[in-house]
Amino acid sequence: MKFISWNVNGLRAIVGKGFADIFKALDADFFCIQETKLQEGQIDLSFPGYDSYFSYADRKGYSGTAIFTRHRPLSVSRGIGVDVHDHEGRVTTLEYADFYLVCVYTPNSQNELARLPYRMEWEEAFLAYVHRLDALKPVIICGDLNVAHTEIDLANPKTNRRNAGFTDEERSCLSRLLDSGFADTFRRLNPTAVGAYSWWSYRGRAREKNVGWRIDYFLISERLMPRLKSAEIHASITGSDHCPVEITLE
């Protein structure tokens, strides 16, 4: 099975940049999207053989997640069951016979870390949510986690320390998640890979220079690791400030 995750930075915008062709070329069983930035009824987008499941933010033009899948789920849930966190469309979960698939768009801590306190509350709630799922069956978590985990995961770690996405608090939250029974698929298969990024600023020709961050992930329950066959970052695919990331499971 092939899984793709991509923060498209506006689904309506990327549709005009060849999204349909990219979608078809990647030929995934599950195609997970973050930052759809739309409300129900604002787009008519479907692909033969796929069902789609969207989670919308209350606020127009903001956040949002979606999953296109060839495999009809046993159940669909939106949010994490905590009202204060469930108004931004940040989580879509599909249940299957032998796993849960969680598509997530983690809150950004913003300039001057204005939203870091909220981010920490979110992290606690999200950790509890995936632990509840993992107690029932293995979990696949994918999406824009808005954090570079270690110094190897961004081009300029020293100058970005204490900036949003590379604070000790954010990195520690991801460490807790990984230490609690989840694997960072790309890093497990590529432990020393440098220059492997999934997001680049639009400023300063950052993408051309590959001055980026790896903030888009596939995390899987440790007991799924024997089924992991590959993990890739599609840095050559454009249309967003992020690129798609991929895993294949047996």
Side-chain angles (χ1 to χ4, degrees):
M1 293 184 297
K2 183 176 181 179
F3 299 76
I4 293 287
S5 177
W6 194 6
N7 180 324
V8 295
N9 194 11
L11 186 54
R12 287 174 293 175
I14 205 167
V15 163
K17 301 175 183 177
F19 177 73
D21 291 336
I22 296 168
F23 185 99
K24 293 171 185 174
L26 288 172
D27 192 29
D29 293 283
F30 303 89
F31 202 113
C32 302
I33 296 172
Q34 302 87 47
E35 213 169 354
T36 57
K37 293 184 175 179
L38 50 78
Q39 308 299 120
E40 188 170 8
Q42 286 189 310
I43 196 169
D44 182 14
L45 180 65
S46 62
F47 297 97
Y50 288 84
D51 294 318
S52 60
Y53 304 93
F54 284 76
S55 297
Y56 303 102
D58 294 352
R59 176 179 162 189
K60 292 182 178 179
Y62 180 72
S63 189
T65 53
I67 303 175
F68 291 82
T69 175
R70 287 177 169 144
H71 307 276
R72 187 156 293 179
L74 300 176
S75 69
V76 181
S77 60
R78 296 169 173 87
I80 58 176
V82 180
D83 184 70
V84 69
H85 300 308
D86 286 347
H87 293 271
E88 297 183 352
R90 292 188 177 274
V91 177
T92 303
T93 301
L94 304 187
E95 179 188 5
Y96 292 92
D98 57 348
F99 65 88
Y100 289 99
L101 174 60
V102 179
C103 175
V104 58
Y105 176 41
T106 301
N108 190 299
S109 295
Q110 300 184 348
N111 292 336
E112 299 182 359
L113 305 179
R115 215 180 187 201
L116 182 60
Y118 172 74
R119 165 76 175 263
M120 293 299 100
E121 294 174 8
W122 157 273
E123 293 279 6
E124 288 292 332
F126 184 72
L127 181 66
Y129 174 69
V130 295
H131 280 173
R132 289 196 299 272
L133 298 181
D134 192 54
L136 301 173
K137 62 184 77 175
V139 181
I140 301 165
I141 304 167
C142 70
D144 176 2
L145 302 188
N146 262 315
V147 59
H149 187 217
T150 67
E151 291 193 353
I152 200 175
D153 294 313
L154 72 167
N156 295 313
K158 291 181 173 56
T159 56
N160 279 293
R161 194 166 297 281
R162 290 305 297 167
N163 284 343
F166 200 59
T167 65
D168 291 342
E169 294 92 331
E170 293 162 317
R171 296 166 65 195
S172 293
C173 287
L174 182 49
S175 292
R176 284 181 60 197
L177 180 55
L178 296 174
D179 291 344
S180 68
F182 289 89
D184 175 352
T185 57
F186 180 82
R187 195 52 75 194
R188 283 291 184 89
L189 297 185
N190 304 275
T192 60
V194 297
Y197 308 128
S198 64
W199 174 82
W200 303 262
S201 170
Y202 281 130
R203 294 176 290 185
R205 293 161 48 214
R207 190 158 190 169
E208 179 184 333
K209 299 174 182 177
N210 198 30
V211 179
W213 300 48
R214 189 174 73 93
I215 60 175
D216 300 271
Y217 297 81
F218 272 98
L219 312 179
I220 62 175
S221 298
E222 286 283 358
R223 56 198 188 277
L224 287 177
M225 276 300 298
R227 296 174 57 184
L228 180 66
K229 296 305 172 186
S230 65
E232 300 182 43
I233 299 175
H234 293 285
S236 65
I237 295 179
T238 59
S240 168
D241 50 350
H242 297 250
C243 74
V245 296
E246 170 191 322
I247 62 167
T248 55
L249 293 180
E250 192 175 57

